[in-house]
Amino acid sequence: MSVRVLIADDQALVRAGFRGIVDVAPGFTVVGEAGTGTAAVELARRERPDVVLMDIRMPGMDGLEATRLITGAGGPAGVPGVRVLILTMFDLDEHIYEALRGGASGFLLKDTAPEDLLAAIRVVAAGEALLAPSVTRRLIAEFAGRPDPSGSVEPARPTTLPGITAREHEVLVLIAEGHTNPEIARRLHITEGTTKTHVGHLLTKLAARDRVQLVITAFRAGLGPS
């Protein structure tokens, strides 16, 4: 079954470039293109893609607000089953912090190699966060210690996370290091199904919306890579 992708960018040439990579690759289908955030939200609701490749800077509604509306972060119900992968020119774009808070599943540099673009889409479509690259780890590490946009201060780092088992703790550490479920399964000598069960328990126990929030929680608890 093909991974269905929506491309949102205000530059037609950029959209065409991504379409040229994605649409011809086996197992992928581009279901639409949007040049504004408003169009991206409308198309996401109509087409229900698996992944939206979302630019940040677009006229009118930008990619940040569009991401919040699609994911349902902090507001009305979003579009179930649709995940957002942010596109950016800069690996330390200030807006990335807000995008992650808005429910994005990760971010991708626009100069990413075609094979890495396809791999990233697969990762996000599978329900995982794109957190493996070292630059992303640094980004999440810094983001985890920042104040909330409301102005409140992040809580102090706890030394333990009450309610999780020793095995769940191991899984959380590996998630924070950027490992996928298959990699975690191999490292802990468990099945992928068992790994998914542990991840599901962590999401519930830690009240995390997605894998990105699990990583943030892990960093706050001092469990992320140094």
Side-chain angles (χ1 to χ4, degrees):
M1 189 173 183
S2 292
V3 177
R4 304 175 75 251
V5 180
L6 170 63
I7 301 170
D9 194 290
D10 65 335
Q11 298 184 41
L13 284 177
V14 173
R15 296 197 305 272
F18 282 121
R19 176 183 277 274
I21 294 169
V22 176
D23 221 12
V24 299
F28 295 88
T29 301
V30 174
V31 298
E33 297 180 22
T36 66
T38 300
V41 174
E42 292 173 353
L43 279 171
R45 288 171 174 163
R46 185 171 75 234
E47 299 294 340
R48 298 296 178 96
D50 299 301
V51 178
V52 179
L53 295 179
M54 181 76 75
D55 187 23
I56 291 179
R57 296 180 177 88
M58 291 187 286
M61 181 191 295
D62 63 16
L64 300 175
E65 180 61 22
T67 295
R68 285 190 289 268
L69 291 174
I70 291 171
T71 65
V79 187
V82 179
R83 301 176 67 81
V84 177
L85 182 57
I86 295 291
L87 300 169
T88 180
M89 290 293 294
F90 308 104
D91 60 4
L92 291 179
D93 191 320
E94 286 292 312
H95 294 298
I96 293 297
Y97 300 102
E98 187 176 348
L100 292 176
R101 288 192 186 277
S105 295
F107 78 98
L108 193 67
L109 298 181
K110 287 187 177 180
D111 62 358
T112 297
E115 61 272 19
D116 292 335
L117 169 64
L118 297 175
I121 295 171
R122 286 193 191 96
V123 167
V124 171
E128 308 218 12
L130 190 65
L131 301 171
S134 59
V135 64
T136 313
R137 294 176 186 168
R138 293 197 305 272
L139 177 67
I140 299 294
E142 183 177 348
F143 163 67
R146 284 188 164 218
D148 186 91
S150 66
S152 63
V153 178
E154 298 284 4
R157 289 174 175 246
T159 56
T160 61
L161 291 170
I164 71 171
T165 67
R167 177 61 88 186
E168 289 165 354
H169 183 278
E170 292 177 318
V171 171
L172 183 59
V173 169
L174 292 173
I175 290 173
E177 291 177 353
H179 296 289
T180 63
N181 282 356
E183 291 170 342
I184 293 171
R186 288 194 295 271
R187 283 174 171 261
L188 298 182
H189 305 289
I190 58 179
T191 67
E192 288 187 38
T194 299
T195 302
K196 289 180 181 178
T197 298
H198 288 314
V199 173
H201 289 166
L202 285 167
L203 289 169
T204 299
K205 291 180 178 181
L206 299 177
R209 179 179 59 244
D210 52 29
R211 206 176 182 97
V212 169
Q213 288 198 338
L214 285 181
V215 173
I216 294 168
T217 298
F219 273 103
R220 288 174 179 165
L223 304 181
S226 58

